[in-house]
Amino acid sequence: MLILGIETSCDETALALLEARTEHGETLIKRYGDELFSQIEIHKEFGGVFPMLAKREHAKNLVPLLLQLLKKTKLLETGTHGISKQRERITTILSREHDLEKNLINFAEHYQKPEIDCIAVTVGPGLEPALWVGLNFAFALKELWDIPVIPVNHMEGHVLSALLPHTTEKDGFQTLLPVTFPLLSLLISGGHTELILSTGWHNYEIIGQTRDDAVGEAFDKVARILGLPYPGGPEISKYAEIWRTKGNVSTIKLPRPMIASDNLDFSFSGLKTSVLYLVKKIPELTHELKQEIAAEFENAVTEVLVAKTKKAIEQCVPQTLTIGGGVIANKHIRTNMELLAKQYPGITLYLPHQHLTTDNAIMIALAGYLQLTAKKTSAEWEDVRANGNLRLSHGSPSVC
Ligand code: KG4
Ligand code: ZN
């Protein structure tokens, strides 16, 4: 089946087409194409993502990206059977998104329904105004093409992003990397820091989470304290790497919050405040000092993430470990997670390809497909709403 993935939860407008099928218990996938427009440059001057601006940009870019995607995948065919029946519904659904409404009506008047079987769309967590644009776009396409819409939790997408093979075969199907359950996932992004345990597709339990700042948020805030631009993660990582290549030993010591606590939770706000106090005491923040602080901060974060993942491994005895979210683009964290996994021969570790660490629509399409294979009924897809605080599981964390 051919699935259109739609992702608009934050500052990336992304669409992807993924063909997927299951044979002898294996999931076979073919990446038809993906398109992404990053708004980072637009939000940079605000030092973070500005929700109403993100919404406006998504509304402006969705139809042009769809056209590009269909053109590149040779699924765009001119001609239409008329949209008189659907026009009114589309106009109602997109009544608050005028750019999107105008563009989609124009698209519908010129092009036929492509051979797409269903739509998978992110419904949360994320910025609610941004999520609603993607969701309303999906609803409008459902009206136009008469195909189902599968609601996807963005975090499920990040869990699964590591299972996509790192190489693409131009015209062929590939096997999704095999998972033996239980599956443990560490999700580290700008909005989340969570340890997730899964015993089957579309079945998740949060067993650890941050009590304050997310790890990516801490990277971004520390970068701001050091006078580095947004997003801070790649900047801190660059500075830290320069320090390490020089072989310097740091005299600065930052805390490793909750590293020895007897639970699987995290806390990063105190670490960020320690950097703030440290910087306030320094008369002149030189490049050298920025590099040293960046390296020590990265070390502190890495040690905590590794210690908590190790604790979760020992408590839950998973057979597969995946790590997802923008922060796993960080080379130092990747290397240290690989070293951790080597200590457990019974565990297979999968890290996402660098391009799939940040938000994308391929992982959303994949999550939609695996939801279908988990035999979720279409009844569960009724009355779908965007939810900025959507969680992967409810209830209090267990100890596996
Ligand atoms: O998953 P993502 O693209 O968006 C959210 O869903 O939040 O993650 C974005 C976060 C930002 O906080 C960014 O600073 C961080 O990922 N990030 C990194 C690196 N690249 C991106 N953090 C540390 N090291 C990196 N190389
Ligand atoms: Zn994300």
Side-chain angles (χ1 to χ4, degrees), residues 7 9-10 154-155 158 189-190 325-326 357-359 363:
E7 161 60 40
S9 68
C10 193
H154 180 82
M155 304 316 288
H158 278 306
S189 71
T357 55
T358 41
D359 296 346
M363 66 183 193

Side-chain angles (χ1 to χ4, degrees), residues 9-12 154-155 158 188-192 215-220 230-237 298 324-331 333 354 357-359:
S9 68
C10 193
D11 58 350
E12 254 103 31
H154 180 82
M155 304 316 288
H158 278 306
I188 41 178
S189 71
H192 292 81
V215 62
E217 191 181 350
F219 268 98
D220 295 336
Y230 173 85
E235 294 292 324
I236 298 257
S237 157
E298 204 176 65
V327 180
I328 198 59
N330 185 290
K331 282 196 206 134
I333 301 176
Q354 286 283 353
T357 55
T358 41
D359 296 346

Side-chain angles (χ1 to χ4, degrees), residues 238-249:
K238 238 188 288 169
Y239 273 67
E241 215 170 310
I242 298 172
W243 178 262
R244 279 193 206 101
T245 17
K246 285 182 193 160
N248 289 340
V249 179

